[in-house]
């Protein structure tokens, strides 16, 4: 039976070994917190200076707005796919079903798995490295090696935290999300109440760059914004563990995007009304400097502690989501069977979780700035564009009547595809080359495996 319209729904308290699948224990607030914690991680706290350096003056705000609009359109894609096929490992199943489970879908599913094995450690590691960078504000004597060791240790600690039943993680996720959102609101409120128009005027009166520089800069800022907003799809990775998923998944995706977008725009404007934009552009811990300027050393220290909590929570839920992808592929017979192993009592993927956690710790020894661009371009070429066309393919099939349908179809798809192509076209050449090489290598590996196993496209005559 096609996965379109199919929904495995064991009782939320049923043991995994009785049904063969993890229990559905995540509700709306758990799904929303998984998204929000992923989105409000370390991203904006370390990338605001990068955005200000990429595009001077008020034009940088256009990049943040463009990134939010692109993510909203892409969020509609994820909402419909997640509602149509609510399975753990999300995109792996979307691509397999849309392009044919026994045809090209095998290639797309394998490439997504291949991409995840490459990008999941980079994504989790970037959050952990950001955590270590802000830890350096509290411990100035930390060198590069010390920060890398702290980041790697965080990944290993999170792996141990997640080695338990997902329902327990949901309660922790909701609690940390509430603290993180409150902290961001406090930071924004501090900026609003201490907003200096003279400082802000220096930012808004900065001359616009040349037309050529503007379009490249807009692409660079939008790419950073998309990275920061990224995480609204985390609930889709956990689709097989979500209660009432056809309604819960779209709500969690589409509520999280505007919520975080408002917080981010408030954060940007607050900082630019307190710190001169040139100082903010060169800061290594911009929010800490911002809060220290307002509340003194104590305020800066408290802000850093809250940012550390946010980045820890982000790394935690990203690891939770990505750890389900190798499990989903193994359960589908497309990856090593050992990755399909579930904990006999907790019902969570054990080998898959340990593997992603260990590789993420290793990724913490790489550079953060270059990894962000490479991570985003690789995901766009491997996955995001293919998912837009997957919506078209799945709409042609019969689906359950309660499946979410995006409004204004196909306009959000068109905007998403054009936006993704624009971000790739304006990215650094090294990032594009790395992504293309990864796609090519993954395709060759798939063809080698298909020829060895006599599966599509090498079916026996």
């Amino acid at each position: 039976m096609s996965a379109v319209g199919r929904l495995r729904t064991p009782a939320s308290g049923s043991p995994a070994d009785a049904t063969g699948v993890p229990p559905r224990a995540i509700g709306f607030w758990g799904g929303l917190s998984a998204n929000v914690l992923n989105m409000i991680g370390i991203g904006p706290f370390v990338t605001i200076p990068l955005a200000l350096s990429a595009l001077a003056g008020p034009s940088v705000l256009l990049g943040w707005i463009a990134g939010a609009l692109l993510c909203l359109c892409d969020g509609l894609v994820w909402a419909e796919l997640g509602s149509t096929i609510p399975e753990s490992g999300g995109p792996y199943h979307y691509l397999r079903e849309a392009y044919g489970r026994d045809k090209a879908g095998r290639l797309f599913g394998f490439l997504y798995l291949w991409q995840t094995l490459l990008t999941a450690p980079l994504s989790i590691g970037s959050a952990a490295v950001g955590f270590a960078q802000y830890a350096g504000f509290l411990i100035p004597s930390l060198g590069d090696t010390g920060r890398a060791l702290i980041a790697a240790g965080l990944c290993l600690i999170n792996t141990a935290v997640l080695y338990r039943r997902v329902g327990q993680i949901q309660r922790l996720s909701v609690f940390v999300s509430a603290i993180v959102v409150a902290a961001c609101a406090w930071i924004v409120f501090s900026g609003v109440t201490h907003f200096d128009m003279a400082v802000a005027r220096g930012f808004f009166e900065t001359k616009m760059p040349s037309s050529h520089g503007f379009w490249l800069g807009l692409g660079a800022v939008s790419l950073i914004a998309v990275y920061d907003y990224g995480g609204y799809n985390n609930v889709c990775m956990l689709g097989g563990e979500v209660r009432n998923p056809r309604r819960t998944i779209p709500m969690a995706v589409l509520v999280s995007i505007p919520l975080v977008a408002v917080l981010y725009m408030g954060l940007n404007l607050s900082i630019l009304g307190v710190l001169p934009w040139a100082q903010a552009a060169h800061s290594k811990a911009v929010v800490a400097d911002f809060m220290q300027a307002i509340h003194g050393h104590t305020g800066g220290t408290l802000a850093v502690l809250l940012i550390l909590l946010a980045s820890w929570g982000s790394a935690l839920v990203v690891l939770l989501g990505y750890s389900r992808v190798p499990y989903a592929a193994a359960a589908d017979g497309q990856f090593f069977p050992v990755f399909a192993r579930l904990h006999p009592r907790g019902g969570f993927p054990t080998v898959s979780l340990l593997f992603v956690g260990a590789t993420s710790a290793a990724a913490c020894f790489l550079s953060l700035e270059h990894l962000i661009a490479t991570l985003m371009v690789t995901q766009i070429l491997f996955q995001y564009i293919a998912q837009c066309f997957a919506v078209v393919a799945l709409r042609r099939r019969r689906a359950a009547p309660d499946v979410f349908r995006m409004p204004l179809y196909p306009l959000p798809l068109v905007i998403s595809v054009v936006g993704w192509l624009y971000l790739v076209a304006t990215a650094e050449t090294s990032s594009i080359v790395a992504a293309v090489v990864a796609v090519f290598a993954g395709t060759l590996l798939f063809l080698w495996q298909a020829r060895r196993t006599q599966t599509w496209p090498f079916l026996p005559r």
Side-chain angles (χ1 to χ4, degrees):
M1 179 187 295
S2 169
V4 180
R6 180 186 67 194
L7 181 59
R8 301 175 296 175
T9 318
S12 60
S14 62
D17 55 352
T19 62
V21 296
R24 292 190 177 273
I26 300 175
F28 167 72
W29 292 108
L32 180 63
S33 65
N35 284 358
V36 170
L37 260 184
N38 195 335
M39 298 169 78
I40 310 179
I42 196 63
F45 304 123
V46 295
T47 58
I48 287 177
L50 298 179
L52 292 172
S53 300
L55 190 61
S59 302
V60 71
L61 298 179
L62 294 178
W64 285 98
I65 295 172
L69 292 176
L70 176 56
C71 287
L72 184 59
C73 291
D74 187 59
L76 291 170
V77 173
W78 281 93
E80 180 161 332
L81 291 173
S83 178
T84 303
I85 307 176
E87 301 283 355
S88 292
Y92 174 78
H93 295 287
Y94 310 156
L95 298 172
R96 285 292 306 273
E97 288 294 328
Y99 296 103
R101 296 190 65 83
D102 298 318
K103 296 182 180 179
R106 294 179 63 86
L107 171 60
F108 281 98
F110 181 86
L111 286 178
Y112 172 70
L113 172 63
W114 174 249
Q115 171 229 252
T116 299
L117 295 178
L118 297 175
T119 60
L122 306 183
S123 181
I124 301 165
S126 66
V129 169
F131 176 97
Q133 285 187 357
Y134 267 83
F137 182 87
L138 300 178
I139 312 174
S141 60
L142 276 178
D144 292 339
T145 302
R147 285 191 290 269
L149 290 174
I150 287 178
L154 180 70
C155 292
L156 297 179
I157 290 172
N158 281 348
T159 302
V161 170
L162 292 175
Y163 202 83
R164 66 192 69 243
R165 190 183 299 274
V166 72
Q168 299 172 3
I169 302 302
Q170 176 182 208
R171 290 189 290 271
L172 176 63
S173 176
V174 171
F175 174 72
V176 176
S177 292
I179 295 177
V180 168
V181 171
C184 287
W186 172 56
I187 293 171
V188 172
F189 178 77
S190 296
V192 171
T193 55
H194 293 80
F195 194 87
D196 188 338
M197 279 302 303
V199 174
R201 192 177 298 114
F203 167 73
F204 285 105
E205 292 179 354
T206 301
K207 293 183 179 180
M208 294 278 287
S210 66
S211 177
H212 177 71
F214 169 78
W215 290 110
L216 288 177
L218 181 65
V221 175
S222 298
L223 189 69
I224 291 170
V226 169
Y227 168 78
D228 288 344
Y229 290 127
Y232 52 84
N233 53 10
N234 202 40
V235 68
C236 296
M237 304 291 193
L238 308 169
E241 299 166 71
V242 175
R243 295 194 304 269
N244 192 17
R246 300 204 192 283
R247 180 174 180 272
T248 299
I249 291 176
M251 285 183 60
V253 171
L254 299 178
V255 170
S256 61
I257 296 172
L259 173 64
V260 173
V262 170
L263 285 174
Y264 280 0
M265 289 301 297
L267 182 63
N268 275 270
L269 291 173
S270 296
I271 290 174
L272 294 171
V274 174
L275 294 180
W277 78 268
Q279 178 184 345
H282 295 92
S283 174
K284 297 298 182 182
V286 65
V287 176
D289 293 339
F290 160 75
M291 294 299 285
Q292 184 167 272
I294 296 175
H295 301 292
H297 181 72
T298 301
T301 300
L302 180 56
V304 167
L305 292 174
L306 293 172
I307 290 170
L308 292 178
L309 178 64
S311 57
W312 166 72
S314 175
L316 184 77
V317 296
V318 175
L319 174 58
L320 173 64
Y322 274 124
S323 67
R324 269 49 180 178
V325 177
Y327 156 76
D332 204 35
Q334 296 299 306
F335 200 50
F336 299 110
V338 68
F339 282 84
R341 187 174 297 170
L342 294 174
H343 192 276
R345 292 183 302 276
F348 58 89
T350 54
V351 176
S352 183
L353 172 63
L354 294 174
F355 174 81
V356 177
T359 53
S360 299
C364 292
F365 292 88
L366 303 176
S367 170
L368 176 64
E369 291 81 4
H370 182 68
L371 290 180
I372 290 176
T374 304
L375 169 67
M376 291 307 307
V377 172
T378 302
Q379 288 180 320
I380 291 170
L381 292 181
F382 267 98
Q383 176 190 351
Y384 294 165
I385 294 176
Q387 284 185 177
C388 292
F389 293 104
V391 172
V392 179
L394 291 174
R395 279 206 170 203
R396 297 175 180 174
R397 307 180 189 180
R398 188 173 183 177
D402 57 342
V403 166
F404 171 83
R405 295 298 197 198
M406 71 175 66
L408 302 178
Y409 174 87
L411 183 59
L413 294 181
V414 175
I415 295 175
S416 295
V417 171
V418 172
W420 293 134
L421 291 175
Y422 171 67
L423 293 189
V424 171
T426 55
E428 295 181 358
T429 303
S430 59
S431 298
I432 299 174
V433 171
V436 171
V437 169
V439 173
F440 184 70
T443 302
L444 289 180
L445 184 60
F446 169 81
L447 293 175
W448 172 79
Q449 178 178 301
R451 185 177 182 85
R452 182 176 60 84
T453 58
Q454 292 292 290
T455 54
W456 186 91
F458 299 105
L459 295 172
R461 296 181 181 275

